[in-house]
Amino acid sequence: MKRLVLMIATAALLVTSIPRLGSASGPFDQRLSQDRQIVQALNRLTFGPRQGDVEEVRRLGVTKWIELQLHPDRIPENPALDAKLKPLETLRMDLREIVEKYTPPQQLPVMMMQPLAAMNTLLSPEEMRKVQIGTAEERTAVLRSLDPGKRKQVLASLPPNVLEHTPEFQKEGEDARKMQQEEAQKENRRRNPQLNDLLNPDQMNVARSGNKEQLTALFAYLDPDKRPLVAGLLPPPSLAALPELRRDGQVRRVPRQVVSEDLKEAKVFRALYSNRQLEEVLVDFWFNHFNVDQAKNVIQLQNQVHLLIGSYERDAIRPHVLGHFKDLLLATARHPAMLYYLDNWESMAPGAFAVGPFAPQRGILNGVPNSILPSPLGRQAHGLNENYGREVMELHTLGVKGGYTQDDVIAVARCFTGWTVRDPNNPEFVFASFMHDFGEKTVLGHKIAAGGGEQDGLQAIDILAHHPSTAKLISKELAQRFVADDPPPALVDRMAQTFTKSDGDLRAVLQTLFTSPEFFSEGAWQAKVKSPFEMVVSAVRAIQGEASDTFTLVQKIADLGEPLYNKLEPTGYPNTGDAWLSTAGIMGRMNFSAALVSGLVPGVRLDPSLLAGKDAAAIARDLLGRDASPQTQAALEKGLDGKEKTPPFIASMVLGSPDFQRR
């Protein structure tokens, strides 16, 4: 009952304490104390303070610490992070390597591979004809001429309806097929053994126990060639203590999923351990802004976008988060993940016809399509696709009320015709001139001359990146992420001015934001609700958990409503707190907090001595980086009344409190 009361109180405080003021007056004019400025900077520029971070920022000074975070190349990276990421090899592979290694051809069952091969090697072409489509007499004569061993193989390869008209060999054929099926089943079992084929009953119990010491001893005892087989048959959570074996098992069982799993686990590792915290916060922010859903299937190419997501974040997002917005916009527009996700890869000018793979100038006269050439190869003629043209304006640049029309959507879509992907086995950007609309276009009042080719798309990028609505939208979204759900318009205006004057320099825009009075104001203090990703990671950081594996943490984040890289809509996950305030969501957060501090999250190890002997006030100070608010102190007193005041129980209440759930 007390837990339910605490949950209701938490929900009420989360909702009522978020400022929703829309002007730079009142709370946004009231400056935070120096101590609160330190905590504010840590809560906004990192995934939550660790113990000792407050003292480090105080030693450096807030201004210098922020300046360092804005220049991550000046910050030595945490060597522990490199060690955590090393086993995740797909992070360092290019797209072609990933496709080659992690999309293995499907193996046919042995029974499907044998029949025709057997017939072709045992019989001459004329004998094959007689046995398969000849008369009953011809078939019988051929079968009689074969020695018993060869005849058994031929009979096993013939379908039952063929032997219905050859009664002399019908029974022998049934026996031969039955024997072949039994042998095929044995071979399939040999290729794909089950756990009881590899382990004795005692070993099976150990394998399923999840006990690290026993599992380590078991796998050390097994032959090396057996280890990945056993790992592939165990549920991933049971191998959380042995992440490399768990990953080996996934490679064997579901190789296509390993690529996206590596990326998810790396995202959590980086958020937990990177010293360059602002860079990781910005990678998360910009991926969400230019969202791509890793679950999208590209059926025509027998491919899936999740194979490309790691490269998309690594090559299109990460290098540009503190650079110029135009470069970031162009990098995302050209990446195969975005081209597939918003279907631009198949967008072509009306009247163009793709023949493959890029026999490009057929049907083109002076760069202009002049005929339709039928071909069984290459792409199908789907015509103009407006998806990317619409979303690049509505979501990526101008915003819903950014001043564009449906005619602009069509014009931008025409500019990007021919921006496509080479082929599924070599997924790289290429401009296909035979798909492009070479006519004149008008984008937001700007004339784009006919015959421009790939340059049309580059001009569209330039127009959108320099539009005043883009400066306003990007500034507002950044202020929404770092200040408040409803940021002061005056702050957004100043950031937009910096965006325009600096040619979209994102570092300069952030400097304007982080040095603003609004950023360090009472109006911004604790004004943001953490997303599930932020909450889970900040809890592990606060409790100083040592993560040997992040697989379970990734699952917990998904359970709380934010499956990583898996937001279907191009809007990405919400940047405001109201989306995360359901009763079920709050209860899930409290349950996670309780499991974490009790050492029940596989892959995360805690040091009990860090909180031992401390009272509720001291534990709250350690986990929050400051004293708990009066409301949280009162909630703690009520929740602890009549309970055993153990450090884990106190810690779970602090992590579930509004003070921790907000940033």
Side-chain angles (χ1 to χ4, degrees), residues 3 38 51 59 68 113 159 175 237 252 298 329 382 442 447 462 492 522 582 639:
R3 187 172 180 80
I38 292 172
Q51 293 182 36
R59 184 185 67 79
L68 281 173
M113 297 164 54
D175 293 341
R252 175 175 174 77
V298 184
L329 180 62
H382 290 287
T442 302
K447 292 284 186 183
D462 189 68
V492 175
E522 290 288 346
S582 69

Side-chain angles (χ1 to χ4, degrees), residues 66-93:
I66 290 176
E67 183 68 13
L68 281 173
Q69 287 295 323
L70 282 166
H71 294 85
D73 55 304
R74 302 177 187 173
I75 303 174
E77 189 51 285
N78 184 354
L81 177 61
D82 291 336
K84 304 287 185 184
L85 298 180
K86 187 176 181 181
L88 310 178
E89 66 171 5
T90 63
L91 303 179
R92 300 175 293 279
M93 297 170 71

Side-chain angles (χ1 to χ4, degrees), residues 21-43:
L21 301 178
S23 62
S25 62
F28 288 108
D29 282 337
Q30 299 173 25
R31 192 165 182 81
L32 294 171
S33 68
Q34 188 63 37
D35 286 347
R36 282 197 169 190
Q37 286 183 37
I38 292 172
V39 177
Q40 172 77 345
L42 283 166
N43 274 329

Side-chain angles (χ1 to χ4, degrees), residues 338-511:
M338 181 64 79
L339 291 166
Y340 283 150
Y341 176 57
L342 291 179
D343 304 310
N344 203 80
W345 72 278
E346 60 184 2
S347 182
M348 62 180 68
F353 195 88
V355 296
F358 290 118
Q361 301 306 321
R362 295 182 62 197
I364 305 289
L365 179 61
N366 296 325
V368 181
N370 70 341
S371 65
I372 296 177
L373 300 178
S375 170
L377 304 175
R379 297 142 205 253
Q380 298 300 310
H382 290 287
L384 187 68
N385 190 300
E386 298 176 13
N387 288 353
Y388 182 71
R390 178 174 293 102
E391 305 303 355
V392 73
M393 289 193 285
E394 180 178 325
L395 299 177
H396 299 170
T397 56
L398 308 179
V400 177
K401 299 179 181 178
Y404 64 90
T405 66
Q406 177 59 22
D407 288 341
D408 291 314
V409 171
I410 294 171
V412 169
R414 291 173 59 209
C415 288
F416 287 108
T417 50
W419 285 45
T420 188
V421 181
R422 185 174 297 279
D423 67 64
N425 295 317
N426 184 15
E428 62 179 22
F429 168 81
V430 70
F431 176 70
S433 61
F434 67 94
M435 298 172 69
H436 186 63
D437 183 331
F438 283 85
E440 182 183 270
K441 307 163 187 76
T442 302
V443 174
L444 297 166
H446 297 263
K447 292 284 186 183
I448 296 178
E454 183 180 357
Q455 189 64 31
D456 291 355
L458 297 177
Q459 286 191 61
I461 291 285
D462 189 68
I463 292 167
L464 294 173
H466 291 94
H467 196 279
S469 293
T470 298
K472 196 70 171 283
L473 177 75
I474 299 307
S475 298
K476 182 176 181 179
E477 289 193 358
L478 284 168
Q480 202 171 54
R481 169 59 179 79
F482 288 101
V483 177
D485 287 0
D486 189 10
L491 171 61
V492 175
D493 289 343
R494 295 198 306 276
M495 293 169 65
Q497 289 170 12
T498 300
F499 186 101
T500 301
K501 290 177 182 177
S502 66
D503 193 28
D505 186 334
L506 297 173
R507 181 183 280 113
V509 174
L510 288 169
Q511 283 175 324

